[in-house]
Amino acid sequence: MTYGPGRMFPDMDPFSPPSTSDVCDMIMNQPVPPPIDQIPFFCLCSHCKGTVGPKGDAGDRGPPGQSGSPGMRGLMGFKGRPGYTGPQGMKGQKGDMGLKGQPGFAGLVGMKGSRGFKGEKGDPGMEGPAGVQGPQGETGTCPASCETIQGPEGQQGPPGPVGARGLPGLKGSVGPKGAMGNKGDMGTPGDPGLNGHKGDQGEQGVCECTDGENGSDGSPGETGSKGDKGDTGAQGVEGPIGPKGDEGMMGHMGPPGPCSPTIQSAFSASINESYPKQDYPVPFPNVLYNQQGHFDPNMGIYTAPINGTYVFSFNLAVYQRTLKVGLFHNSYPVVINTEAAHQSTTSQTIVLHLSSMDQVWLLVKDGTTNGMYTDPESSSTFSGYLLHPDSCEMPFLRDFGGINKQETNVYNWTGP
């Protein structure tokens, strides 16, 4: 069955025009009804004068139509914005060892080093053997009285021989005989030898004298020198307790003793992400100690609870980038550390006097000098504690939780 262009009419005899009802029946009885815009107006019920019946039930969904031919390829769109930088990948495995490079040029000869310090004095040598026994004393002579007196002291014995020498080394090969050298300088005199032993007492002289008559009494001798102080005598018996004395006057008030402060403050934390942002205090979310809560780990800011002296320190790992980091006190740097090596560490310890509500934090210089790094085998930490307060009075910390957070972009690296 063939239809005309733009219409759904079948081929009919041109000499016998069909009736209106036949045409409508043919159109409506087709297996696939034509679209509404191709049905003649006289076949539509909207042009009938009959009454409108109730709405029928929804028909079943028709089968899907055939896929249309692919359209023309569209124009290339504009280049999209770059995506966000993804997280840093895991550290790769260690590569194979490269080939051995060629030997480098010999370096310049270094400057002569300074003279070393004088060595420590050696241990004293071994004590030499005792000297030879001195000669026997002279024979005593008969004195004026028959009382035996000690003979004169013997002469000092000669010095003892030099102590034993150390064990000789291995015998070396005999070298050629050298030319006779110049006469050396006079050596320093040797140490004096040890005193010899006292000689034996000489033989007692033979007294061939007779007792003479008693002489007259001699004049009294000169008064002798005062003798040494005698030993302290034994302690005497304790006497009876005396009566209680009158009450004395009150003494002057002594200086105040050291106080025991009740306020304590300390913290220690580490980073969990390498290469922190610039213009923001470095956060240290991995808290190791913060019992008093004076350190904000997410902001990376410590707030002093009381006037006093504080100690701060940081130990930072550096990898692949230069690190320029400053320890800031109320928007101005106190110390600045720069580490240009691409795999090293940097650290600093400082003592500061802070007033209550003063704030301290770490800050990197910019996006090219933020080489602060962390991984399972490297940590970057920030710590601090109150060394001692200015007074022992307990501060009122009721409003401590409402501290003012530091705004960004208000930091001055050149100081106030």
Side-chain angles (χ1 to χ4, degrees):
M1 183 176 295
T2 306
Y3 299 88
R7 294 288 182 176
M8 300 298 293
F9 299 115
D11 292 336
M12 295 183 180
D13 188 0
F15 301 102
S16 58
S19 62
T20 302
S21 61
D22 292 338
V23 173
C24 293
D25 290 340
M26 289 181 182
I27 294 175
M28 295 302 177
N29 292 330
Q30 294 297 322
V32 179
I36 190 70
D37 59 347
Q38 297 181 4
I39 299 175
F41 70 92
F42 51 81
C43 293
L44 298 176
C45 295
S46 60
H47 297 273
C48 301
K49 295 183 180 180
T51 57
V52 179
K55 185 177 181 181
D57 299 333
D60 297 333
R61 185 175 183 180
Q66 296 180 357
S67 301
S69 59
M72 297 177 62
R73 184 174 182 180
L75 299 176
M76 180 178 292
F78 296 103
K79 184 177 180 181
R81 296 180 179 178
Y84 296 102
T85 303
Q88 184 178 3
M90 298 178 62
K91 187 176 181 181
Q93 297 181 355
K94 185 177 181 181
D96 299 332
M97 182 176 292
L99 299 176
K100 184 176 181 180
Q102 298 180 356
F105 298 102
L108 300 176
V109 178
M111 299 177 62
K112 183 178 180 180
S114 58
R115 186 175 181 180
F117 297 104
K118 184 178 181 180
E120 297 181 357
K121 184 177 181 181
D123 298 331
M126 299 174 61
E127 185 178 357
V132 181
Q133 185 175 355
Q136 187 175 0
E138 298 178 356
T139 304
T141 58
C142 185
S145 63
C146 293
E147 296 180 357
T148 302
I149 60 175
Q150 186 175 357
E153 185 177 355
Q155 296 180 359
Q156 183 177 355
V162 181
R165 195 173 183 180
L167 297 175
L170 298 176
K171 184 176 182 181
S173 58
V174 178
K177 186 175 181 180
M180 184 175 181
N182 298 327
K183 184 177 181 180
D185 299 332
M186 179 72 70
T188 57
D191 297 333
L194 300 176
N195 295 332
H197 293 291
K198 184 177 181 181
D200 296 334
Q201 185 175 354
E203 297 180 357
Q204 184 175 359
V206 179
C207 183
E208 298 178 353
C209 59
T210 58
D211 295 336
E213 296 179 356
N214 295 333
S216 60
D217 295 336
S219 59
E222 298 178 356
T223 305
S225 60
K226 186 177 180 181
D228 297 331
K229 185 178 180 180
D231 298 332
T232 303
Q235 184 176 358
V237 180
E238 184 178 0
I241 299 175
K244 183 176 181 181
D246 298 332
E247 184 176 359
M249 298 176 62
M250 179 180 292
H252 297 288
M253 181 178 293
C259 62
S260 297
T262 58
I263 181 66
Q264 295 180 352
S265 181
F267 76 95
S268 184
S270 63
I271 64 174
N272 63 354
E273 185 178 6
S274 302
Y275 313 126
K277 297 180 180 179
Q278 67 184 57
D279 298 330
Y280 288 89
V282 179
F284 287 82
N286 291 340
V287 176
L288 305 177
Y289 180 85
N290 191 23
Q291 186 173 357
Q292 294 79 25
H294 299 155
F295 177 71
D296 186 342
N298 296 323
M299 291 291 295
I301 298 176
Y302 174 78
T303 304
I306 192 173
N307 300 350
T309 302
Y310 295 78
V311 179
F312 296 94
S313 64
F314 58 83
N315 188 3
L316 307 175
V318 183
Y319 184 64
Q320 291 185 343
R321 301 184 188 178
T322 300
L323 175 62
K324 185 182 292 291
V325 62
L327 188 144
F328 277 67
H329 171 211
N330 292 347
S331 300
Y332 295 102
V334 180
V335 292
I336 298 175
N337 271 27
T338 301
E339 181 56 53
H342 287 183
Q343 188 172 1
S344 63
T345 59
T346 183
S347 60
Q348 184 71 263
T349 300
I350 188 171
V351 179
L352 295 177
H353 182 272
L354 304 181
S355 299
S356 178
M357 308 306 290
D358 280 359
Q359 294 181 330
V360 177
W361 65 90
L362 294 182
L363 187 72
V364 294
K365 179 77 172 187
D366 51 45
T368 61
T369 58
N370 63 341
M372 195 180 304
Y373 183 74
T374 183
D375 65 10
E377 296 182 355
S378 300
S379 299
S380 295
T381 60
F382 180 32
S383 304
Y385 61 91
L386 170 63
L387 184 62
H388 61 76
D390 289 350
S391 66
C392 294
E393 297 179 359
M394 185 68 181
F396 294 98
L397 301 178
R398 179 175 300 175
D399 298 330
F400 186 80
I403 59 177
N404 296 325
K405 303 298 183 183
Q406 288 292 336
E407 299 292 338
T408 61
N409 302 322
V410 295
Y411 312 123
N412 189 344
W413 283 83
T414 59

